[in-house]
Amino acid sequence: KSCHTVTEDGADQQQPLILERVERETPKKWQTVVSQRLKKHCSCTPQKAKSKILGFVPILKWLPRYQLRDWLLGDAMSGMIVGILLVPQSIAYSLLASQDPIYGLYTSFFASIIYALLGTSRHISVGIFGVLCLLVGQVVDRELALAGYLTESSSNSSDVLLADLGNGSVDVGCDRSCYAITVGATVTFTAGVYQVLMGLLQVGFVSVYLSDSLLSGFATGASLTILTSQFKYLLGLKIPRPQGWFTLFKTWYSLLTNLGNTNICDLVTSLVCLAILLPTKELNDRFKSKLKAPIPFELFVVIIATLASHFGHFNTDYGSDVAGDIPTGFLPPQLPLWSLIPNVAVDAFSIAIVGFAITVSLSEMFAKKHGYTVDANQEMYAIGFCNILPSFFRCFTTSAALTKTLVKESTGCQTQISGLVSALILLLVLLVIAPLFYSLQKCVLAVIIVVNLRGALRKFTDIPRMWRANRIDASIWLVTMATSALVNTELGLLVGVLVSAFCVLGRTQQARVLELGRATSREHYEGLSRYRGLQTHPGVAVFRYEAPIYYANQSLFKKSLYKCVGLDPVKEKSRRIKFKKNKQQEEATRVPNNSSHSLRNVVIDCSAVLFLDTAGVNALKEVHKDYAELGVKVVLAQCNTSVLDTLERGGYCPEKNGPNTGENTMVFFTIADAVHYIQSLRTANGDYDTKC
């Protein structure tokens, strides 16, 4: 029986609201549940097999319904433009991942095809993403140093292994470039396996725990690290990437101590390219509504800079570092380095989480904008296989990228056919054009990376607005950003998650009990401290607690309630016992001035209490018992069904036996019913002075 369907014997008052609960089904035995689920998931029918295949390869579902006349032009246009933009960016971001340029082209090519087959978003562009490249590059540089390869300061890509790897898995003739992509591909494979496993376990919901403020702060902090890491290329310095924590400070220290070794040719080229790209990219942004497609200034700069470097002999005459040989075609597939997986497993997990979170958040954002839905678990599969399969072809980690997705959307993209068109552009470069970029200076690639960080770095100008909108979210952003940039990139993600969790927990710790008053025109109750013109009931005080009551805040709930009521029953009982021991009966029964106004019956509005645990139920029991010993009646109102069930299971409502069960009424559906019930009690407020 429910503990609120009771009336008072002989009470002349308004009949309280009584509702009958729907009977809950008897829980099935676990053996039955397991058997039913196995039957559901392991049975196979032609219809179910077809549904599974279409769900796993979504292109088979939407391609037969492709509207050739309406969609092809937009897909072809957006695919060509994104493909053209991907060429310089794929080469540039290879630097960030500590790889040769060809591997960036491979990565973008395979990711575009695989996501077009397996993805559920029509608009996002999957490929190289700066933050993931940074994370991969940090792992690659660490493993290169552990393996004993010379650093960039004293070697080039043709250096061979100088130390024994201790596993016999890599040929001693494997040079620095070979081992770098082996590490990168192994990290990518491991991250992809994590993502597919999360898809199999149906844990796509984990993305909801990475809030927008957390991801934005993480991306901005990583952008500062990326910006700092590119200064050595802008200045033409050959210094190793520092490892461990506080890499930002270590990098700036190395830059300042080696400033005298700046390559003037690289510095001048960097300044010229910045002077061209910064204003032209701003023009693209400003007039994007008027332009049918963004002008590919990056590609123009790459072509002009390559020609200038080639004919000016920048590499041979001025020592400028260039991209070097970029082969055509594809290399045969290669397995990951299995013995390396234990070394990179933790790094790969953080990379997997970041890649998935970015992809799902962008997918859902554009799906909502264009009126369709995406499957978070299928997105997990898609991005997982975008990492697993390309890893055999010497690729590194990918995810959705916001800037290219925005370009794709603004140029008429309708489906992932545009991704296949982009892959064709990249294939043309891989088969024919790639060797022509031999003389392209690395400082030009660094400029492209720096210019594309503008969006993330602009977030700093939004800090005042974020602070005004929500200080907690702004604090999460600042802590995550600062940790990612100043301490360690991966640690920033973990700290952001922990800070977000503690902020949620902290909000339940900061909740306070509010005294409510009744509106004059209707039966509605709000906080006396928040609204004017509210009325209180003589002898009855109504309070609301705006948080769950559970083990972490139950003591705070009681403390706040006692303070708001103006009477701490525990202290009051102790005071009376003390006076009784001193045989001062008259003084013991006199109510002190500071609490005489507080001897009122209490109604606790539970409408904002989302749930209770055992500690919460016990706290309510203690409140009811302690106040009852002082003659103060405590009742609950407006409990949701989850709270009601927990109260009943916890024994809060006494069993109703005999004709006087009305005296045990403790829970009501409305505040008005609770107040009317208390006012109907034969014991008036003044009688408490006698009883006390």
Side-chain angles (χ1 to χ4, degrees):
K1 289 184 178 181
S2 179
C3 57
H4 48 269
T5 57
V6 182
T7 59
E8 302 77 43
D9 294 337
D12 183 19
Q13 69 153 58
Q14 171 183 316
Q15 179 73 18
L17 175 64
I18 298 176
L19 297 176
E20 184 177 354
R21 289 287 299 276
V22 176
E23 292 185 5
R24 295 188 295 271
E25 295 182 1
T26 304
K28 298 178 181 179
K29 295 182 179 180
W30 68 268
Q31 296 94 333
T32 306
V33 174
V34 171
S35 175
Q36 289 177 346
R37 294 200 174 185
L38 286 175
K39 185 177 180 180
K40 177 182 177 181
H41 292 288
C42 296
S43 62
C44 184
T45 63
Q47 294 81 3
K48 191 171 183 179
K50 180 181 178 181
S51 175
K52 288 289 185 183
I53 293 172
L54 293 178
F56 187 72
V57 189
I59 193 173
L60 298 177
K61 187 183 295 183
W62 59 259
L63 189 59
R65 301 197 299 268
Y66 188 81
Q67 300 177 23
L68 193 67
R69 183 175 298 178
D70 297 332
W71 293 351
L72 184 60
L73 181 61
D75 282 340
M77 177 66 70
S78 65
M80 288 179 61
I81 293 168
V82 172
I84 292 171
L85 293 176
L86 277 173
V87 173
Q89 290 187 12
S90 298
I91 296 174
Y93 280 102
S94 299
L95 285 182
L96 203 54
S98 297
Q99 307 296 339
D100 288 348
I102 187 66
Y103 301 125
L105 294 170
Y106 287 161
T107 301
S108 295
F109 170 75
F110 284 109
S112 298
I113 294 176
I114 294 171
Y115 188 82
L117 299 175
L118 302 180
T120 58
S121 173
R122 304 174 191 170
H123 294 89
I124 66 169
S125 175
V126 172
I128 291 178
F129 179 56
V131 174
L132 293 183
C133 290
L134 172 69
L135 296 176
V136 171
Q138 290 175 341
V139 178
V140 169
D141 283 350
R142 183 191 71 207
E143 294 302 320
L144 284 173
L146 291 174
Y149 285 93
L150 289 175
T151 60
E152 289 182 333
S153 58
S154 57
S155 67
N156 54 42
S157 61
S158 64
D159 288 323
V160 297
L161 186 64
L162 298 180
D164 182 16
L165 295 181
N167 53 42
S169 300
V170 177
D171 184 11
V172 75
C174 183
D175 61 16
R176 190 177 192 276
S177 170
C178 165
Y179 192 65
I181 190 56
T182 300
V183 175
T186 303
V187 173
T188 300
F189 174 82
T190 310
V193 169
Y194 281 137
Q195 290 166 334
V196 170
L197 286 176
M198 287 188 282
L200 289 172
L201 296 174
Q202 303 285 298
V203 292
F205 65 88
V206 296
S207 62
V208 303
Y209 295 104
L210 302 177
S211 64
D212 291 341
S213 56
L214 187 155
L215 289 174
S216 175
F218 174 73
T220 305
S223 297
L224 286 177
T225 305
I226 294 171
L227 176 66
T228 302
S229 70
Q230 297 309 297
F231 268 90
K232 67 177 183 180
Y233 298 110
L234 298 178
L235 300 175
L237 299 175
K238 296 182 178 180
I239 55 177
R241 180 184 293 181
Q243 298 297 318
W245 291 6
F246 307 107
T247 56
L248 192 80
F249 301 107
K250 294 176 182 177
T251 302
W252 277 109
Y253 176 78
S254 298
L255 289 171
L256 294 175
T257 54
N258 289 276
L259 204 57
N261 300 324
T262 299
N263 186 300
I264 301 301
C265 178
D266 282 343
L267 177 60
V268 172
T269 303
S270 300
L271 293 175
V272 171
C273 292
L274 281 170
I276 295 172
L277 283 179
L278 281 175
T280 53
K281 294 282 281 187
E282 288 296 328
L283 287 174
N284 261 344
D285 291 344
R286 180 166 298 182
F287 296 104
K288 62 182 178 182
S289 59
K290 298 181 180 179
L291 294 172
K292 292 185 178 180
I295 303 172
F297 289 110
E298 291 173 340
L299 185 62
F300 298 156
V301 167
V302 165
I303 294 172
I304 295 170
T306 302
L307 292 173
S309 175
H310 176 73
F311 291 107
H313 307 289
F314 290 172
N315 177 238
T316 55
D317 293 352
Y318 302 101
S320 182
D321 202 4
V322 296
D325 289 318
I326 305 178
T328 56
F330 294 91
L331 297 172
Q334 173 181 289
L335 291 174
L337 187 57
W338 306 114
S339 59
L340 194 63
I341 290 179
N343 294 7
V344 302
V346 176
D347 305 282
F349 184 75
S350 61
I351 290 171
I353 293 295
V354 173
F356 166 68
I358 295 293
T359 301
V360 169
S361 61
L362 287 180
S363 298
E364 291 180 342
M365 180 175 72
F366 283 93
K368 183 178 180 180
K369 182 177 180 181
H370 292 276
Y372 62 94
T373 59
V374 293
D375 184 344
N377 281 302
Q378 180 60 30
E379 289 296 293
M380 188 85 85
Y381 288 131
I383 201 64
F385 283 107
C386 281
N387 287 322
I388 291 176
L389 298 179
S391 69
F392 296 109
F393 296 91
R394 297 170 177 82
C395 299
F396 48 90
T397 315
T398 57
S399 75
L402 176 60
T403 53
K404 292 185 281 291
T405 300
L406 289 172
V407 170
K408 196 173 181 179
E409 181 209 27
S410 64
T411 51
C413 170
Q414 298 293 330
T415 68
Q416 284 298 332
I417 290 294
S418 61
L420 298 177
V421 174
S422 299
L424 287 176
I425 301 295
L426 291 168
L427 181 63
L428 177 64
V429 174
L430 284 167
L431 296 179
V432 180
I433 303 174
L436 300 179
F437 294 112
Y438 174 92
S439 298
L440 177 61
Q441 293 166 273
K442 288 186 177 180
C443 64
V444 177
L445 301 177
V447 168
I448 293 173
I449 293 174
V450 169
V451 169
N452 280 291
L453 295 176
R454 293 171 305 123
L457 297 177
R458 280 202 188 104
K459 289 289 184 181
F460 285 104
T461 61
D462 291 338
I463 292 176
R465 180 190 59 79
M466 289 190 293
W467 186 260
R468 290 192 299 269
N470 191 306
R471 293 188 177 185
I472 292 178
D473 284 346
S475 299
I476 293 171
W477 189 94
L478 288 169
V479 171
T480 307
M481 181 277 300
T483 309
S484 300
L486 304 179
V487 183
N488 180 272
T489 309
E490 294 93 336
L491 183 66
L493 183 65
L494 176 61
V495 169
V497 171
L498 293 177
V499 170
S500 298
F502 280 119
C503 284
V504 173
L505 185 63
R507 292 184 187 187
T508 66
Q509 302 291 306
Q510 293 179 347
R512 294 291 180 266
V513 173
L514 299 176
E515 184 171 2
L516 307 184
R518 179 184 178 277
T520 55
S521 58
R522 63 185 63 188
E523 290 283 353
H524 182 75
Y525 291 79
E526 287 296 342
L528 289 172
S529 61
R530 296 177 178 177
Y531 293 92
R532 295 188 178 93
L534 300 177
Q535 299 176 345
T536 59
H537 300 281
V540 182
V542 183
F543 301 97
R544 176 187 294 154
Y545 189 64
E546 298 179 333
I549 305 174
Y550 64 112
Y551 71 94
N553 71 347
Q554 51 90 16
S555 61
L556 295 173
F557 159 72
K558 291 190 293 183
K559 182 178 179 181
S560 180
L561 178 65
Y562 296 161
K563 181 179 179 180
C564 198
V565 172
L567 178 64
D568 186 329
V570 178
K571 292 182 179 179
E572 179 65 14
K573 285 190 293 183
S574 299
R575 186 187 68 82
R576 294 180 181 185
I577 292 172
K578 178 180 177 181
F579 279 112
K580 285 180 180 179
K581 286 183 178 180
N582 293 330
K583 296 182 179 180
Q584 297 179 4
Q585 186 67 31
E586 183 180 353
E587 183 68 17
T589 57
R590 185 181 307 147
V591 179
N593 292 332
N594 63 352
S595 62
S596 60
H597 70 283
S598 301
L599 283 176
R600 301 170 290 174
N601 291 303
V602 174
V603 176
I604 301 178
D605 174 16
C606 296
S607 59
V609 178
L610 297 179
F611 65 87
L612 297 172
D613 66 357
T614 304
V617 175
N618 290 336
L620 289 174
K621 285 182 178 179
E622 291 173 15
V623 168
H624 183 273
K625 176 178 175 293
D626 291 343
Y627 273 127
E629 291 176 355
L630 299 180
V632 176
K633 182 75 173 178
V634 177
V635 298
L636 308 182
Q638 301 194 135
C639 301
N640 63 46
T641 54
S642 172
V643 171
L644 288 174
D645 291 340
T646 306
L647 290 172
E648 290 186 29
R649 289 194 299 267
Y652 180 79
C653 302
E655 294 294 334
K656 303 175 182 61
N657 298 315
N660 296 323
T661 55
E663 296 300 322
N664 292 324
T665 301
M666 299 166 67
V667 181
F668 292 85
F669 278 116
T670 68
I671 297 176
D673 285 346
V675 171
H676 289 315
Y677 166 69
I678 288 182
Q679 288 177 332
S680 72
L681 295 177
R682 295 171 184 253
T683 306
N685 186 52
D687 294 337
Y688 284 104
D689 291 334
T690 304
K691 297 190 80 168
C692 296

